[in-house]
Amino acid sequence: MLWAGVAVMVSLGFFLAIEFAERRYGGGPIIGHPGVQIPQLIFTPESWPLMYTSMALMTVMFTWRQRFIAAGVAVVIDSVLVLVRLVFDARTTLGTGPLWVMLACAVMAVTHRSGKERVLLLKGVGLGMLLLVARKMGNIWLLITATTRPTVLDEYLAAADHALGNPSWLAGRLIEATGPVPSNILHWVYTQLTVAAVVVAFYQLRNVAKERRFPRHHLVRTFLAIGLLGPAIYMIFPVVGPVYAFGAQGGPSAVANLWPDAMASIPAPHHMTFNDLTPRNCMPSLHTAWATAIFIHSRQTSRLLRYAGTFWLVATVGATLGFGYHYGVDIIAGVVFTLTIEGTLRAQAYGWKWLGVPLVAYGTTVFAGLLMSYRYLPTKMARYPGLFAPLLLLAMGSVIYAYVRTTTKLPEPKAALVRAGSRFEGGHPVAPSETLAA
């Protein structure tokens, strides 16, 4: 109970800090605060797929009958509200029903459940709501990066990207040449990344309803950690992306309208002053980071999900480059960033001790080295691509190798066994509270 109270106070302090920052830099009430979910109980939500996937994640501890009931109630609520919105000429969209269902389950947990069942239901609701809050908080961080970082480092990354052959320019031309169908597919993959994550997470958590406990580690933990830590790097290394810094979408702030038709020649990179509307959300590529996490966690699922995880990673990388949202060096940093976070979370969950510490330390060192080289060696990287391109790929490959070698040495924890009323994991007694750790 003491740790729960501390967690609540820390969370409240965090929300208040974000509230102050948004009012200071955005001039309005926070759009990411959980309290602002309340208007969406009546008015139109921002993303109905996110609402339904969040509700689906919440139902991991439900039986199939309960899941169908929850989905049916959500659809009925949405249908009624759509008719009401049509009467008042409001924008008609879905997504309010799942929010009502999640809040109803939270109330039910407090009023009609007790003990472990209450904790389990609240954890399910918490998982679903965390996705919604994380999405809102992400929007706030993007606003903060735009208003607090007046200059960007795009010229440094564009110069460093010469070492890789300017992959964003090449991918942009390829997408333009292939027509609208591939572009639409990549755009859908790019925007529905959360849906893919929930599908994989739901598979990982499929036994929660039967075992009445959450596994120690799953995709949602990594997904949320990436979203929490990534914006801190945005503040340190603000970058807007080639389509903004060197393309038409940058408007008067862009160097010129070059992307993807002409390569940017940057003999001496310097800080660029940019508008206060475009988020500085390129370094590292969090879309690549999240897609990499989906790929990693899909490896221990069904064959179909393994293929889907691979497709989502490849398509996400293609979209981030082909739409001009990221440079090639962002992608490399995103992969290293994810493997380091994944290694840290696994070490925390499974007690890797001396096996996990070198991986985390090495991944952190490589990531810091990449950022330093992008900032202080971009002209040399552009001048000697035959040297630096293999070094960049080797740095990323070495972290991948270290991650694979470390994880293959560590057996997955054995399933919990029940003997004489006590819980055992791997032959050692486990406290009841630990068996419910998410």
Side-chain angles (χ1 to χ4, degrees):
M1 292 299 293
L2 176 60
W3 284 111
V6 171
V8 170
M9 295 303 295
V10 171
S11 300
L12 179 59
F14 175 74
F15 284 133
L16 290 177
I18 292 296
E19 173 79 32
F20 171 80
E22 205 281 335
R23 288 183 180 273
R24 169 66 176 81
Y25 298 110
I30 185 170
I31 60 175
H33 195 287
V36 181
Q37 295 289 351
I38 294 176
Q40 297 190 47
L41 291 172
I42 301 174
F43 302 108
T44 54
E46 295 178 1
S47 173
W48 70 264
L50 179 63
M51 291 290 186
Y52 273 92
T53 51
S54 297
M55 184 187 70
L57 186 60
M58 177 199 69
T59 63
V60 292
M61 34 71 61
F62 286 7
T63 65
W64 278 108
R65 179 176 176 273
Q66 292 170 332
R67 290 169 186 166
F68 283 124
I69 292 175
V73 171
V75 170
V76 169
I77 293 173
D78 265 342
S79 300
V80 172
L81 290 178
V82 164
L83 294 176
V84 173
R85 289 164 184 159
L86 285 173
V87 172
F88 290 96
D89 284 333
R91 183 167 63 96
T92 57
T93 186
L94 306 175
T96 305
L99 185 58
W100 282 35
V101 170
M102 285 190 284
L103 293 180
C105 289
V107 172
M108 184 181 299
V110 175
T111 59
H112 291 78
R113 296 289 187 273
S114 61
K116 294 180 181 178
E117 289 300 313
R118 173 183 291 176
V119 172
L120 195 64
L121 182 53
L122 287 176
K123 283 188 174 183
V125 175
L127 280 179
M129 294 300 295
L130 272 175
L131 285 182
L132 301 180
V133 173
R135 170 72 174 269
K136 296 287 187 178
M137 288 297 175
N139 293 338
I140 293 301
W141 275 117
L142 296 184
L143 172 64
I144 293 175
T145 63
T147 54
T148 62
R149 293 295 180 267
T151 60
V152 297
L153 304 177
D154 281 77
E155 289 195 1
Y156 294 88
L157 290 195
D161 227 31
H162 284 307
L164 299 175
N166 301 284
S168 182
W169 270 258
L170 298 177
R173 293 176 184 175
L174 180 62
I175 288 182
E176 283 189 348
T178 53
V181 174
S183 177
N184 291 335
I185 293 175
L186 291 180
H187 184 268
W188 182 81
V189 169
Y190 188 84
T191 57
Q192 300 303 325
L193 190 65
T194 304
V195 177
V198 169
V199 171
V200 175
F202 195 90
Y203 184 92
Q204 288 183 317
L205 303 174
R206 67 193 183 281
N207 293 325
V208 171
K210 179 174 62 176
E211 298 176 356
R212 311 311 293 170
R213 66 184 182 92
F214 281 86
R216 293 189 177 185
H217 182 57
H218 48 80
L219 176 58
V220 178
R221 300 176 78 236
T222 307
F223 214 76
L224 295 175
I226 290 172
L228 178 65
L229 298 176
I233 312 300
Y234 292 164
M235 301 294 287
I236 298 171
F237 212 108
V239 183
V240 294
V243 73
Y244 298 101
F246 304 98
Q249 295 190 34
S253 298
V255 173
N257 189 1
L258 300 174
W259 185 90
D261 301 317
M263 299 290 185
S265 177
I266 308 173
H270 63 276
H271 288 65
M272 293 172 51
T273 301
F274 217 79
N275 64 51
D276 59 357
L277 300 176
T278 305
R280 281 63 162 152
N281 61 338
C282 280
M283 176 56 66
S285 170
L286 291 197
H287 264 78
T288 300
W290 282 317
T292 302
I294 292 173
F295 174 81
I296 292 172
H297 283 265
S298 67
R299 295 306 89 193
Q300 302 299 322
T301 61
S302 66
R303 179 181 298 180
L304 177 61
L305 285 183
R306 290 199 300 271
Y307 289 153
T310 303
F311 166 76
W312 224 272
L313 176 59
V314 173
T316 299
V317 171
T320 59
L321 294 174
F323 294 144
Y325 298 147
H326 290 280
Y327 303 91
V329 290
D330 299 343
I331 307 301
I332 292 176
V335 172
V336 174
F337 185 69
T338 300
L339 293 177
T340 304
I341 290 177
E342 177 70 16
T344 303
L345 292 177
R346 284 180 179 267
Q348 180 272 329
Y350 296 145
W352 283 9
K353 298 180 181 177
W354 64 271
L355 283 173
V357 171
L359 170 64
V360 175
Y362 181 66
T364 303
T365 302
V366 171
F367 183 75
L370 290 174
L371 293 186
M372 296 291 287
S373 64
Y374 298 160
R375 174 61 180 84
Y376 296 106
L377 299 174
T379 54
K380 289 183 172 57
M381 296 172 72
R383 191 176 304 145
Y384 304 107
L387 171 63
F388 282 96
L391 286 178
L392 290 174
L393 296 177
L394 181 62
M396 179 180 69
S398 65
V399 176
I400 295 174
Y401 177 77
Y403 176 83
V404 173
R405 283 293 302 269
T406 304
T407 53
T408 53
K409 288 180 180 179
L410 298 167
E412 292 293 328
K414 296 180 180 180
L417 301 176
V418 180
R419 295 179 181 174
S422 300
R423 291 186 179 271
F424 287 76
E425 288 191 8
H428 301 285
V430 181
S433 58
E434 294 179 10
T435 64
L436 290 172

